[in-house]
Every structure is written in structure tokens, then in C-alpha cells.
Amino acid sequence: MNKRPIIIDTDPGIDDAVALGIALYSEDLDVRLITTVNGNVNLEKVTYNMLRLMKFFNKQTPVAKGAGTPLIVEPVDASDIHGETGMDGYEFEEPDNSLLLDEHAVTAMRREIIESKEPVTLVPIGPLTNIALLLRTYPEVTKNIEEIVLMGGSTSRGNSSVMAEFNIYADPEAAKIVFSSGIPLVMAGLDVGWKALVYPEDSEILRDMNKTGNMIYHLFKKYRGGSFNHGLKMYDSCAIAYLLKPDLFETAHTFVDVELTGELTKGTTVVDLKGKMNKEPNVNVCIDIDPVAFKKWFIESIRKCN
Ligand SMILES: [Ca+2]
């Protein structure tokens, strides 16, 4: 089988770093391009982190820098979760900047999608600013996008506000554009991220497994996405897991919209599981995950890295 062509849009980010390693070393994925977006920390930091990760993983995928601010709302920041640099805890080498394209992420995505012989899958694991800009600027890309498999949203409660998940909360208007695009969408959000847990004993296995496992072990010691004792949440790896092992998930094909005007609820994904809104389903929502099988897959995937 041909490797599946994907573009990852990311804001590394400790859980992004792990997801990227798994994707880059998967024998079933062809990561054609990586684009960066303001999110966990600012655009300069996430792009620098991405280039440091490319050097670490020893891969040659081009990187393009994208949006430095959300479409309308003020930037929010998650350095309380990921540390000041966005990837605190490990001493990375200085990056080789030759992988950084001169093109803007949106232009680079357009080129990759239009020139690809097979339809491309977009995998956004940060706020959706770049994807919204792409769809609005170059709507002709739609016909060569297979689907969008994103990490974000929730069918229940949030983590940035009471009801909103971080990636949607950080740019709700962009999310609205993506969710209403008509492109097949898969949403792997908090419902599965909260169960995709890695525990201290797992991280001990990772530490001695290989170079990547050791790096992850050190990042995890600084990561505040959950506590070590109650498990660390591997949010972004859920999107990659869906691509590679969809049978880990239970999904519901349903209508999802993004709340933009709620005084208390802006950025909430309204997931109409009971069909109250009488709208055509637009998203395959991951509503549950097999946590034991996920963890096994996760550890075996890290074993394939350098
Ligand atoms: Ca992320």
C-alpha cells in the first residue's frame, strides 16, 4: 500500500513533539510538509521548536511558518502547560534552518495539495488559523483534500475555559470556517485525549528505549498536561492514532458547530449527538478510545523512532 500523504499543522508543544515523532517514523504515513501556527507558545518559538525537532528526528520534511496571530481573538498561550519555551525539559541541539521554506505555510500547503497526485490529508494539531486561511484564500485546494483529521474540541467540557478546548478556544472563528467547510472531518478531542494516558511506569520504559523515548521522558517531567501520577494526556497523538489505527476509537457521525458569541462559552464545539438541530452530519467525532490498546500502540510507535 502507498504511504498516505499528510500535512501536519502544529504548535510544538510537548504533546505535539511526541505526535510528530510517531508520524515521521510511521511506515504508513508520508509527511509531505509541516506547518507551524501560533498556539501553545508564540509563532517564533513553535517554529524554532519544530526545526529543533526535525534536527532531533533527523528527517528532511520541509517546514513552513504560518500565522502569528489568530484571525480575530487575541492570542492565548499555554506556557503554563508546556514551559516557557514550549518544550521545556530537554537540551535540544540548535536547528538546521535549511528546512525552513521561504514560503508562507498557506502558500506551501496550497502547492503541496495542488501538486499531489493523490488527495492529501490535513492533520492540524494546533489552533486552526492556517487551515482557515488556506480554505478561504485557495478554495480550489478542497478537491484534493481527502479529509481533515484534527485534534481539538470536546463533546462535554473544556480545558481552556469551562466549555472550550484549547485549540478551538485559541481561534474560534478559524475553527468555525474549518467545521463548516464541507470537507470530511474527524475530530479527536478531549473525550479521547483525557483517556489517552501515559503513566510513570510507561515513561520509565520510554526512557531506556531509544533516543526519542529518552527525549520524551525528559519533556514529560516538565509537562503539565495532567500529572504524572494520574497520567499525562497525549492529546495530539490521538489524531495520529486515528490515522494509523482507527479501530482504537469509537466514533459518531454527527453535526458539530463552533460557538462564537457565547459570553461564557466562546470556542465551545457544540456536538449534536442527539440530532436536536436537524442538520446534516459534518464530522466523525471520536467519542471513546480503548486506553489499553492506545498505550500499547503508543509505546510500540515510539519504538520505531530514532
Ligand atoms: Ca498542539
Coordinates of all heavy atoms in Angstrom, one line a residue, residues 146-205:
E146 N -8.3 14.9 1.1 CA -9.0 13.7 1.4 C -9.9 13.9 2.6 O -11.1 13.6 2.6 CB -8.0 12.5 1.6 CG -8.8 11.3 2.1 CD -8.2 10.0 1.5 OE1 -7.4 10.1 0.5 OE2 -8.5 9.0 2.0
E147 N -9.3 14.3 3.7 CA -10.0 14.6 4.9 C -9.2 15.5 5.8 O -8.0 15.6 5.6 CB -10.6 13.4 5.6 CG -9.5 12.4 6.1 CD -10.1 11.2 6.8 OE1 -11.3 11.3 7.3 OE2 -9.4 10.2 7.0
I148 N -9.8 16.0 6.8 CA -9.0 16.8 7.9 C -9.2 16.0 9.2 O -10.3 15.8 9.6 CB -9.5 18.2 8.0 CG1 -9.4 19.0 6.7 CG2 -8.8 18.9 9.1 CD1 -9.9 20.4 6.7
V149 N -8.1 15.5 9.7 CA -8.2 14.8 11.0 C -7.5 15.7 12.0 O -6.3 15.9 12.0 CB -7.4 13.5 10.9 CG1 -7.4 12.7 12.2 CG2 -8.0 12.6 9.8
L150 N -8.3 16.3 12.9 CA -7.8 17.3 13.8 C -7.9 16.9 15.3 O -8.7 16.1 15.7 CB -8.5 18.6 13.6 CG -10.0 18.7 13.9 CD1 -10.2 19.2 15.4 CD2 -10.7 19.7 13.0
M151 N -6.9 17.5 16.0 CA -7.1 17.4 17.5 C -7.7 18.7 18.0 O -7.1 19.7 17.7 CB -5.7 17.2 18.1 CG -5.7 16.9 19.6 SD -6.0 18.3 20.7 CE -7.2 17.7 21.8
G152 N -8.8 18.5 18.6 CA -9.5 19.7 19.2 C -10.9 19.4 19.5 O -11.5 18.4 19.1
G153 N -11.5 20.3 20.3 CA -12.9 20.2 20.7 C -13.2 19.2 21.8 O -12.3 18.5 22.3
S154 N -14.5 19.1 22.1 CA -14.9 18.3 23.2 C -16.4 18.1 23.0 O -17.1 19.0 22.5 CB -14.6 18.9 24.5 OG -15.3 18.3 25.6
T155 N -16.9 16.9 23.4 CA -18.4 16.7 23.4 C -18.9 17.2 24.7 O -20.2 17.2 24.9 CB -18.8 15.3 23.1 OG1 -18.5 14.5 24.2 CG2 -18.2 14.7 21.8
S156 N -18.1 17.4 25.7 CA -18.6 17.7 27.0 C -18.0 19.0 27.5 O -18.5 20.1 27.1 CB -18.3 16.6 28.0 OG -16.9 16.3 28.1
R157 N -16.9 19.0 28.3 CA -16.4 20.2 28.9 C -15.1 20.5 28.2 O -14.6 19.8 27.4 CB -16.3 20.0 30.4 CG -17.7 19.9 30.9 CD -17.7 19.9 32.4 NE -19.1 20.1 32.8 CZ -19.5 21.2 33.4 NH1 -18.6 22.1 33.8 NH2 -20.8 21.4 33.7
G158 N -14.5 21.7 28.7 CA -13.3 22.2 28.1 C -12.1 22.0 28.9 O -12.1 21.4 30.0
N159 N -11.0 22.5 28.5 CA -9.8 22.6 29.3 C -9.2 24.1 29.3 O -8.4 24.4 30.2 CB -8.7 21.6 28.9 CG -8.2 21.8 27.5 OD1 -8.7 22.6 26.7 ND2 -7.2 21.0 27.1
S160 N -9.6 24.9 28.3 CA -9.2 26.3 28.4 C -10.2 27.2 29.1 O -9.8 28.1 29.8 CB -9.0 26.9 27.0 OG -7.7 26.6 26.5
S161 N -11.4 26.9 28.9 CA -12.5 27.5 29.7 C -13.4 26.4 30.1 O -13.1 25.2 29.8 CB -13.3 28.5 28.8 OG -14.1 27.9 27.9
V162 N -14.5 26.7 30.8 CA -15.3 25.6 31.3 C -15.8 24.7 30.2 O -15.7 23.5 30.3 CB -16.6 26.2 32.1 CG1 -17.5 25.1 32.5 CG2 -16.1 27.1 33.2
M163 N -16.1 25.3 29.1 CA -16.7 24.5 28.0 C -15.8 24.3 26.8 O -16.1 23.5 25.9 CB -18.0 25.1 27.5 CG -19.1 25.2 28.6 SD -19.4 23.6 29.4 CE -20.2 22.7 28.1
A164 N -14.7 25.1 26.6 CA -13.9 25.2 25.4 C -12.6 24.5 25.5 O -11.8 24.7 26.5 CB -13.8 26.6 24.9
E165 N -12.2 23.7 24.5 CA -10.9 23.1 24.4 C -9.9 24.1 23.8 O -10.3 24.9 23.0 CB -11.1 21.8 23.5 CG -9.8 21.0 23.3 CD -8.9 21.6 22.2 OE1 -9.4 22.3 21.3 OE2 -7.7 21.4 22.3
F166 N -8.6 23.9 24.2 CA -7.6 24.9 23.8 C -7.5 25.3 22.3 O -7.5 26.4 22.0 CB -6.2 24.5 24.3 CG -5.1 25.5 23.9 CD1 -4.9 26.6 24.7 CD2 -4.4 25.2 22.8 CE1 -3.9 27.5 24.3 CE2 -3.4 26.1 22.4 CZ -3.2 27.3 23.2
N167 N -7.4 24.3 21.5 CA -7.2 24.6 20.0 C -8.3 25.3 19.4 O -8.1 26.1 18.5 CB -6.9 23.3 19.2 CG -5.5 22.7 19.5 OD1 -4.6 23.4 20.0 ND2 -5.3 21.5 19.1
I168 N -9.5 25.1 19.9 CA -10.7 25.8 19.3 C -10.8 27.1 20.0 O -11.1 28.2 19.3 CB -12.0 24.9 19.5 CG1 -11.8 23.5 19.1 CG2 -13.2 25.6 18.8 CD1 -11.5 23.3 17.6
Y169 N -10.6 27.2 21.3 CA -10.7 28.4 22.1 C -9.7 29.4 21.6 O -10.0 30.6 21.5 CB -10.4 28.1 23.5 CG -10.5 29.2 24.5 CD1 -11.7 29.6 25.0 CD2 -9.3 29.8 25.0 CE1 -11.8 30.7 25.9 CE2 -9.4 30.9 25.9 CZ -10.6 31.3 26.4 OH -10.7 32.3 27.3
A170 N -8.5 28.9 21.2 CA -7.4 29.8 20.7 C -7.7 30.5 19.4 O -7.2 31.6 19.2 CB -6.1 29.1 20.6
D171 N -8.6 30.0 18.6 CA -9.0 30.7 17.4 C -10.4 30.1 16.9 O -10.5 29.4 16.0 CB -8.0 30.5 16.2 CG -8.3 31.5 15.1 OD1 -9.4 32.1 15.1 OD2 -7.4 31.8 14.3
P172 N -11.4 30.6 17.6 CA -12.8 30.0 17.4 C -13.3 30.3 16.0 O -13.9 29.5 15.3 CB -13.7 30.7 18.4 CG -12.8 31.3 19.4 CD -11.5 31.5 18.7
E173 N -13.0 31.5 15.5 CA -13.5 31.9 14.1 C -12.9 31.0 13.1 O -13.5 30.5 12.1 CB -13.2 33.3 13.8 CG -14.2 34.3 14.5 CD -13.8 34.6 16.0 OE1 -12.7 34.2 16.4 OE2 -14.6 35.2 16.7
A174 N -11.6 30.7 13.2 CA -10.9 29.8 12.3 C -11.5 28.4 12.4 O -11.8 27.7 11.3 CB -9.4 29.7 12.6
A175 N -11.8 27.9 13.6 CA -12.5 26.6 13.7 C -13.8 26.6 13.0 O -14.2 25.6 12.4 CB -12.6 26.3 15.2
K176 N -14.6 27.7 13.2 CA -15.9 27.7 12.5 C -15.7 27.5 11.0 O -16.5 26.8 10.4 CB -16.5 29.1 12.9 CG -17.8 29.3 12.2 CD -19.0 29.0 13.1 CE -20.3 29.4 12.5 NZ -21.4 29.1 13.4
I177 N -14.8 28.2 10.4 CA -14.5 28.1 9.0 C -14.2 26.6 8.6 O -14.8 26.1 7.6 CB -13.4 29.0 8.5 CG1 -13.9 30.5 8.6 CG2 -12.9 28.7 7.1 CD1 -12.7 31.5 8.5
V178 N -13.4 26.0 9.4 CA -13.0 24.6 9.1 C -14.2 23.7 9.3 O -14.4 22.8 8.4 CB -11.8 24.2 9.9 CG1 -11.5 22.7 9.8 CG2 -10.6 25.1 9.6
F179 N -14.9 23.8 10.4 CA -16.0 22.9 10.6 C -17.1 23.1 9.6 O -17.9 22.1 9.4 CB -16.5 23.1 12.1 CG -15.7 22.3 13.1 CD1 -14.6 22.8 13.6 CD2 -16.1 21.0 13.5 CE1 -13.8 22.1 14.5 CE2 -15.3 20.3 14.4 CZ -14.2 20.8 14.9
S180 N -17.3 24.2 9.0 CA -18.3 24.4 8.1 C -17.9 24.3 6.6 O -18.6 24.7 5.7 CB -19.0 25.8 8.3 OG -18.0 26.8 8.1
S181 N -16.7 23.8 6.4 CA -16.0 23.7 5.1 C -16.7 22.7 4.1 O -16.5 22.8 2.9 CB -14.5 23.5 5.2 OG -14.3 22.1 5.7
G182 N -17.3 21.7 4.7 CA -17.8 20.6 3.8 C -16.8 19.5 3.6 O -17.1 18.5 3.0
I183 N -15.6 19.7 4.0 CA -14.5 18.7 3.8 C -14.8 17.6 4.9 O -15.1 18.0 6.0 CB -13.1 19.3 4.0 CG1 -12.9 20.4 2.9 CG2 -12.0 18.3 4.0 CD1 -11.7 21.2 3.1
P184 N -14.6 16.3 4.5 CA -14.8 15.3 5.6 C -13.8 15.6 6.8 O -12.6 15.8 6.6 CB -14.4 14.0 4.9 CG -14.6 14.3 3.4 CD -14.3 15.8 3.2
L185 N -14.4 15.6 8.0 CA -13.6 16.0 9.2 C -13.7 14.9 10.2 O -14.7 14.2 10.4 CB -14.3 17.2 9.8 CG -14.1 18.6 9.3 CD1 -14.9 19.5 10.1 CD2 -12.6 19.0 9.3
V186 N -12.5 14.7 10.9 CA -12.5 13.8 12.0 C -12.0 14.7 13.2 O -11.0 15.4 13.1 CB -11.5 12.6 11.8 CG1 -11.5 11.8 13.1 CG2 -12.0 11.8 10.7
M187 N -12.8 14.6 14.3 CA -12.4 15.4 15.5 C -12.0 14.4 16.6 O -12.8 13.7 17.1 CB -13.6 16.2 15.9 CG -13.5 16.9 17.2 SD -15.0 17.9 17.5 CE -15.3 17.4 19.3
A188 N -10.7 14.5 16.9 CA -10.2 13.8 18.1 C -10.0 14.8 19.2 O -9.0 15.5 19.1 CB -8.9 13.0 17.7
G189 N -10.9 14.9 20.1 CA -10.8 16.0 21.1 C -10.5 15.4 22.5 O -9.9 14.4 22.7
L190 N -11.1 16.2 23.5 CA -10.8 15.9 24.9 C -11.4 14.6 25.3 O -10.8 13.9 26.2 CB -11.3 17.0 25.8 CG -10.7 18.4 25.5 CD1 -11.2 19.4 26.5 CD2 -9.1 18.3 25.7
D191 N -12.5 14.2 24.7 CA -13.1 12.9 25.1 C -12.2 11.7 25.0 O -12.2 10.8 25.8 CB -14.3 12.6 24.1 CG -15.3 13.8 24.1 OD1 -15.0 14.7 23.3 OD2 -16.2 13.8 24.9
V192 N -11.3 11.8 24.0 CA -10.3 10.7 23.8 C -9.0 11.1 24.4 O -8.3 10.3 25.0 CB -10.2 10.2 22.4 CG1 -11.4 9.5 22.0 CG2 -9.9 11.4 21.4
G193 N -8.6 12.4 24.3 CA -7.3 12.9 24.9 C -7.3 12.6 26.4 O -6.2 12.3 27.0
W194 N -8.4 12.8 27.1 CA -8.4 12.6 28.5 C -8.2 11.1 28.9 O -7.9 10.8 30.1 CB -9.8 13.1 29.1 CG -9.8 14.6 29.3 CD1 -8.7 15.4 29.6 CD2 -10.9 15.4 29.4 NE1 -9.1 16.7 29.7 CE2 -10.4 16.7 29.6 CE3 -12.3 15.2 29.2 CZ2 -11.3 17.8 29.7 CZ3 -13.1 16.3 29.3 CH2 -12.7 17.6 29.5
K195 N -8.4 10.2 27.9 CA -8.2 8.8 28.3 C -6.9 8.2 27.6 O -6.6 7.1 27.9 CB -9.4 8.0 27.7 CG -10.7 8.3 28.4 CD -11.8 7.4 27.9 CE -13.1 7.7 28.6 NZ -14.2 7.0 27.9
A196 N -6.3 9.0 26.8 CA -5.0 8.6 26.1 C -3.9 9.0 27.1 O -3.2 9.9 26.9 CB -4.9 9.3 24.8
L197 N -3.7 8.1 28.1 CA -2.8 8.5 29.2 C -1.5 7.7 29.2 O -1.5 6.5 28.9 CB -3.5 8.3 30.5 CG -4.8 9.1 30.7 CD1 -5.5 8.7 32.0 CD2 -4.4 10.6 30.8
V198 N -0.4 8.4 29.6 CA 0.8 7.7 29.8 C 1.2 7.9 31.3 O 1.2 9.0 31.8 CB 1.9 8.3 28.8 CG1 3.3 7.8 29.2 CG2 1.5 7.9 27.4
Y199 N 1.6 6.8 31.9 CA 1.9 6.8 33.4 C 3.4 6.7 33.6 O 4.2 6.4 32.7 CB 1.2 5.6 34.0 CG -0.3 5.8 34.0 CD1 -1.1 5.3 32.9 CD2 -1.0 6.5 35.1 CE1 -2.5 5.5 32.9 CE2 -2.3 6.6 35.1 CZ -3.1 6.2 34.0 OH -4.5 6.3 34.0
P200 N 3.8 7.0 34.9 CA 5.2 7.0 35.2 C 5.9 5.7 34.8 O 7.0 5.7 34.2 CB 5.3 7.1 36.7 CG 4.0 7.8 37.1 CD 3.0 7.4 36.0
E201 N 5.2 4.5 35.0 CA 5.9 3.3 34.6 C 6.1 3.1 33.1 O 7.1 2.6 32.7 CB 5.1 2.1 35.2 CG 3.7 1.9 34.8 CD 2.7 2.6 35.6 OE1 3.0 3.6 36.3 OE2 1.5 2.2 35.6
D202 N 5.2 3.8 32.4 CA 5.4 3.7 30.9 C 6.6 4.6 30.5 O 7.3 4.3 29.6 CB 4.1 4.3 30.2 CG 2.9 3.7 30.7 OD1 2.9 2.4 30.8 OD2 1.9 4.4 30.9
S203 N 6.6 5.7 31.2 CA 7.7 6.7 30.8 C 9.1 6.1 31.2 O 10.1 6.4 30.5 CB 7.3 8.0 31.4 OG 8.2 8.5 32.2
E204 N 9.1 5.2 32.2 CA 10.4 4.6 32.5 C 10.8 3.6 31.4 O 12.0 3.5 31.0 CB 10.2 3.7 33.8 CG 9.9 4.4 35.0 CD 11.0 5.2 35.7 OE1 12.1 4.6 35.6 OE2 10.8 6.3 36.2
I205 N 9.8 3.0 30.8 CA 10.1 2.1 29.6 C 10.6 3.0 28.5 O 11.6 2.7 27.8 CB 8.8 1.4 29.1 CG1 8.3 0.5 30.2 CG2 9.1 0.6 27.8 CD1 6.9 -0.1 30.0

